[in-house]
Amino acid sequence: MSTALSDHRKGLLLTAIGGLALSMDIPLVRLGGGDIWSILGTRSAATVVATFVILGAMRLASGKWPMLVPGRAGLLAGLLYGLSSLTFVLAVFNTTTANVVFIVAFNPMFGALLSWTFLKDKPQAATLIAMLFMILGVGLIVREGLSSSHFFGDAMALLSAFILAAAISTGRASRREMGFVPLLAAILPAVLGLAQALPTGLSIVHPGWILFNGAIVMPVAFWCLATGPRYISAPEVGMFYLLETVLAPIWVWLIFSETPATMTLVGGGILVAAIAGHCFWMVRGRSIRPLAG
């Protein structure tokens, strides 16, 4: 087996695990219940604490510190990951779960555009076609949001998708180890959330869910999704956010009986079909293209 193929499969496995873990984020936030700033601060602080515990364990085991923030690219990616956490939580609290995950699914198309603009990685015709369908799908969801007073939440979800794509593209361009960058970047939303919440006191109904989410689920998701771009392209990494797109509304429907609006389902169906079709095309193209090595 060639090294290129082995690395590609490693990237696919990592991002698949990350996408599966990420699909539990919104249900756990909803289960926690409480004030937005309290949840943002507690969830992010738990991620930071867990990260330092992991780093300490790695230091004891190997006798050296792993790469934390690789230069300017790491600092830029960290800032972007931190901002994406903020916009994502704002979206969760201001629109429906289905709207959030379907709109954030636009992430791989933003990734393709950024790669085209800054990395001179021209997208294939299949990517451009999928992008057109995804624009249609997001348009339908946002239109529904306008009529149901969810526009701000939908806008935050779209901004989150763009910022996250920029972070992934930064990691892809640097080819550096970025696994711990999004975990340490949680310091930004942790400080912001706690600064807003602590003066009046933390308000979380079930803090255990938020701590579990921040200390275990988010580190697994962020590390896997930040490491994936070392081995596969930014658009391919973004494809695995499809797992959250498909699974998160199902978890929320099973737990909270929250049924998405008809137009959200139509737009989301277009998005899922476009991403799945594009993913199939990319994998098929790679499998029939000979790899050097």
Side-chain angles (χ1 to χ4, degrees):
M1 181 185 296
S2 71
T3 301
L5 183 58
S6 177
D7 284 347
H8 187 255
R9 288 181 176 176
K10 184 187 300 182
L12 291 176
L13 177 61
L14 283 171
T15 47
I17 294 172
L20 183 60
L22 195 63
S23 74
M24 295 304 301
D25 183 23
I26 295 178
L28 289 172
V29 168
R30 294 277 301 275
L31 281 170
D35 172 67
I36 179 174
W37 297 114
S38 297
I39 288 179
L40 177 65
T42 303
R43 168 180 174 268
S44 302
T47 298
V48 174
V49 171
T51 300
F52 281 114
V53 170
I54 294 169
L55 289 173
M58 294 178 69
R59 174 71 172 82
L60 290 174
S62 65
K64 61 181 181 179
W65 293 103
M67 174 62 71
L68 300 181
V69 182
R72 294 181 178 178
L75 289 173
L76 176 59
L79 176 62
L80 292 169
Y81 278 119
L83 291 174
S84 72
S85 293
L86 172 61
T87 54
F88 183 81
V89 173
L90 285 171
V92 171
F93 275 81
N94 288 280
T95 190
T96 66
T97 297
N99 282 31
V100 173
V101 295
F102 284 141
I103 293 175
V104 170
F106 201 69
N107 165 31
M109 294 301 105
F110 277 136
L113 287 173
L114 291 170
S115 295
W116 188 5
T117 303
F118 295 104
L119 305 182
K120 308 305 179 185
D121 185 10
K122 186 176 181 180
Q124 299 179 14
T127 301
L128 295 175
I129 293 172
M131 194 180 302
L132 291 175
F133 280 101
M134 293 185 75
I135 290 172
L136 172 62
V138 169
L140 291 174
I141 296 172
V142 172
R143 181 183 177 187
E144 188 274 333
L146 282 172
S147 62
S148 57
S149 302
H150 293 156
F151 178 73
F152 176 76
D154 291 351
M156 287 298 100
L158 194 61
L159 182 59
S160 181
F162 176 77
I163 296 174
L164 198 56
I168 293 172
S169 296
T170 300
R172 177 67 176 174
S174 71
R175 297 282 183 173
R176 303 287 297 277
E177 175 58 63
M178 292 279 183
F180 286 101
V181 170
L183 302 181
L184 293 172
I187 292 174
L188 177 62
V191 170
L192 179 60
L194 293 177
Q196 293 288 332
L198 286 179
T200 57
L202 294 175
S203 175
I204 303 177
V205 180
H206 303 291
W209 292 116
I210 303 303
L211 292 173
F212 173 70
N213 189 22
I216 297 177
V217 176
M218 287 296 95
V220 171
F222 283 156
W223 188 87
C224 289
L225 290 170
T227 303
R230 291 187 65 194
Y231 308 106
I232 59 179
S233 69
E236 284 180 299
V237 173
M239 292 298 170
F240 282 91
Y241 282 86
L242 176 62
L243 289 175
E244 183 187 26
T245 304
V246 173
L247 295 177
I250 294 176
W251 306 146
V252 170
W253 172 64
L254 291 174
I255 298 170
F256 303 103
S257 300
E258 181 182 290
T259 305
T262 301
M263 197 57 68
T264 296
L265 290 174
V266 172
I270 294 173
L271 277 167
V272 170
I275 297 174
H278 183 261
C279 188
F280 172 78
W281 184 270
M282 293 282 287
V283 172
R284 178 177 178 274
R286 182 175 285 275
S287 66
I288 64 176
R289 189 186 306 121
L291 292 170

